[in-house]
Amino acid sequence: MKFVIDWGHGGSDPGAVGNGLREKDLTMKIGKMIGDMLGEYEGVQVIYTRTDDRYLSLEERAEIANKAGADFFLSVHINAGGGTGFESYVYNGNVSQATIAYQ
Ligand SMILES: [Zn+2]
């Protein structure tokens, strides 16, 4: 099973910034931890969209997953728009470009 793990933001795009933290750094650390854990399972292949601090467009991230034939795509983010706890957005069929949210 191929997992593509996307470390949200990166490079010139820091994502949310506050309290001395940048979202792009946290998504890198969390995404790596997730990848390391999944990689311990037999039959699991982990692919990252980026492995350093670089900017990738949404299209580039999707292309990496599609070219790899990903079974599962996870984009890690730390939302700063209010709310608490955990949010999970699940792709459930065809979605027009206008309705794709990126946080
Ligand atoms: Zn984000």
Side-chain angles (χ1 to χ4, degrees), residues 9 23 77-79 103:
H9 306 280
E23 184 178 0
H77 288 265
I78 315 295
N79 288 343
Q103 299 183 17

Side-chain angles (χ1 to χ4, degrees), residues 3-101:
F3 286 87
V4 172
I5 300 177
D6 177 50
W7 303 347
H9 306 280
S12 60
D13 173 15
V17 176
N19 302 312
L21 300 169
R22 297 180 302 188
E23 184 178 0
K24 68 175 183 176
D25 299 325
L26 296 175
T27 61
M28 189 165 59
K29 289 178 182 173
I30 293 168
K32 181 73 169 74
M33 287 170 43
I34 293 169
D36 286 347
M37 284 190 284
L38 288 172
E40 293 178 8
Y41 288 91
E42 192 175 318
V44 168
Q45 181 182 1
V46 175
I47 297 160
Y48 298 105
T49 54
R50 66 179 178 97
T51 54
D52 56 16
D53 186 19
R54 71 174 63 198
Y55 175 81
L56 292 172
S57 69
L58 296 181
E59 290 78 14
E60 289 171 310
R61 296 167 196 266
E63 189 176 325
I64 291 168
N66 288 331
K67 276 189 176 172
D71 296 297
F72 194 94
F73 177 81
L74 171 67
S75 186
V76 178
H77 288 265
I78 315 295
N79 288 343
T84 59
F86 175 84
E87 289 178 299
S88 179
Y89 296 88
V90 178
Y91 178 72
N92 191 25
N94 293 327
V95 177
S96 73
Q97 198 66 23
T99 59
I100 296 174

